[in-house]
Amino acid sequence: MTEPVVRIPDAKVALSTASVYPESTATAFEIAARLGYDGVEVMVWTDPVSQDIEALRRLSDYHQVPILAVHAPCLLITQRVWSTDPWVKLQRARAAAEKLGASTVVVHPPFRWQRGYAREFVRGVWRMADETDVRFAVENMYPWRYRDREMLAYAPDWDVTKDDYRHFTVDLSHTSTARTDAIAMIDRMGDRLAHVHLADGNGSAKDEHLVPGRGKQPCAELLERLATRGFDGHVVIEVNTRRAMSAAEREADLAEALAFTRLHLASPSRVPRP
């Protein structure tokens, strides 16, 4: 005879500071503490606090919320944040992670027009990873689409599993936009999957970042599969709450996302009954 037992992996559930936009980085720490998230991922962007290591340390200490990951400034709107040199951006992201106690730096593959950076990206990320205990987790992206046209905006490829990286981030809003199979992607990533950006999507050309469970991505199945594997990386809620009509509605969305994640980030195992 056996009886079911729920097995919960060591993975921590974090809130991306991008999930509270247009509110501030400081607001993300406050919400993460109030809702019971295990930590935050800092999106380094145009908010000056997100770029200030000492300010981030004070927020983390005040709210007792650890910083688990730093997202390097890779977006179009952050092209001048922490230098215009993409390698300097990664060096500063690594230094920030080391000083803040974060285990992971999330980085996007280069834009195709960053030709020199793109040529050296795979080798360069390996070199940087060899110099630190911080994991550089390269994130899957997607083709840009307009009507019937498709533009390949990232190099070496938006599908990062086509290249050799030590660690990966999988983003389920991006798999939705790319119209690719998220489960097949994490299977290709295997043990190198270190980080998850959890969100949902309906296959739109826009990067939707819906609350998990509100789209068509296999969010629950992916979490359950990670639990079965004993995944010990981070699961980061990275959703779009810009349309929230109030602070209370935004917080309700983030509470729902956390509850969904904790519910499905568990797997039943069967053990012999004494």
Side-chain angles (χ1 to χ4, degrees), residues 12-20 24-29 32 37-45 50 56 60 65-75 97 100 102-108 135 137 139 168-171 174 194-198 209 233-239:
K12 289 182 167 51
V13 182
L15 177 66
S16 169
T17 59
S19 294
V20 306
S24 67
T25 300
T27 300
F29 279 86
Y37 278 83
D38 296 322
V40 301
E41 175 180 303
V42 173
M43 171 70 80
V44 180
W45 61 341
S50 74
L56 292 169
S60 178
V65 173
I67 297 170
L68 302 179
V70 173
H71 195 311
C74 305
L75 306 175
L100 294 167
S103 65
T104 305
V105 167
V106 179
V107 57
H108 294 179
R135 297 175 297 189
E139 182 175 0
F168 292 111
T169 297
V170 68
D171 184 304
H174 295 176
H195 204 70
V196 176
H197 281 169
L198 191 67
H209 284 276
H234 304 322
V235 178
V236 179
I237 303 302
E238 190 182 75
V239 296

Side-chain angles (χ1 to χ4, degrees), residues 7-14 38 68 103 135 194 223 226-235 262 265-267:
R7 180 173 53 195
I8 300 173
D10 292 333
K12 289 182 167 51
V13 182
D38 296 322
L68 302 179
S103 65
R135 297 175 297 189
L223 290 170
L226 292 181
T228 300
R229 291 182 183 179
F231 180 69
D232 62 357
H234 304 322
V235 178
R262 293 209 190 282
L265 193 61
S267 66

Side-chain angles (χ1 to χ4, degrees), residues 177-214:
T177 304
R179 300 169 189 168
T180 193
D181 185 329
I183 300 297
M185 178 167 280
I186 68 163
D187 286 345
R188 292 196 301 275
M189 291 176 173
D191 292 341
R192 292 183 290 172
L193 175 62
H195 204 70
V196 176
H197 281 169
L198 191 67
D200 216 329
N202 288 309
S204 166
K206 295 180 180 179
D207 187 14
E208 296 172 283
H209 284 276
L210 304 178
V211 171
R214 297 185 185 177

Side-chain angles (χ1 to χ4, degrees), residues 12 64 157-158 188 190 242:
K12 289 182 167 51
Q64 293 296 290
D157 205 287
W158 62 263
R188 292 196 301 275
R242 295 177 205 176

Side-chain angles (χ1 to χ4, degrees), residues 126-251:
W126 270 100
R127 283 196 299 269
M128 294 189 72
D130 284 338
E131 297 168 356
T132 180
D133 291 332
V134 172
R135 297 175 297 189
F136 283 87
V138 185
E139 182 175 0
N140 62 299
M141 298 305 290
Y142 48 85
W144 290 3
R145 293 190 180 92
Y146 179 71
R147 295 183 179 173
D148 295 328
R149 298 182 179 180
E150 183 175 287
M151 173 184 172
L152 299 179
Y154 299 97
D157 205 287
W158 62 263
D159 181 352
V160 293
T161 64
K162 292 183 179 180
D163 291 287
D164 181 25
Y165 299 108
R166 181 173 292 173
H167 294 110
F168 292 111
T169 297
V170 68
D171 184 304
L172 272 74
S173 181
H174 295 176
T175 57
S176 174
T177 304
R179 300 169 189 168
T180 193
D181 185 329
I183 300 297
M185 178 167 280
I186 68 163
D187 286 345
R188 292 196 301 275
M189 291 176 173
D191 292 341
R192 292 183 290 172
L193 175 62
H195 204 70
V196 176
H197 281 169
L198 191 67
D200 216 329
N202 288 309
S204 166
K206 295 180 180 179
D207 187 14
E208 296 172 283
H209 284 276
L210 304 178
V211 171
R214 297 185 185 177
K216 298 177 182 177
Q217 286 297 288
C219 296
E221 180 184 351
L222 184 140
L223 290 170
E224 290 161 5
R225 185 168 295 205
L226 292 181
T228 300
R229 291 182 183 179
F231 180 69
D232 62 357
H234 304 322
V235 178
V236 179
I237 303 302
E238 190 182 75
V239 296
N240 184 343
T241 62
R242 295 177 205 176
R243 294 186 179 180
M245 300 300 292
S246 65
E249 183 177 335
R250 174 174 291 107
E251 194 161 323

Side-chain angles (χ1 to χ4, degrees), residues 74-105:
C74 305
L75 306 175
L76 286 173
I77 63 170
T78 60
Q79 290 298 289
R80 296 187 178 277
V81 172
W82 280 1
S83 171
T84 56
D85 183 332
W87 290 115
V88 172
K89 291 174 183 286
L90 292 194
Q91 290 164 1
R92 292 190 64 172
R94 179 188 66 192
E98 289 171 342
K99 291 175 181 177
L100 294 167
S103 65
T104 305
V105 167

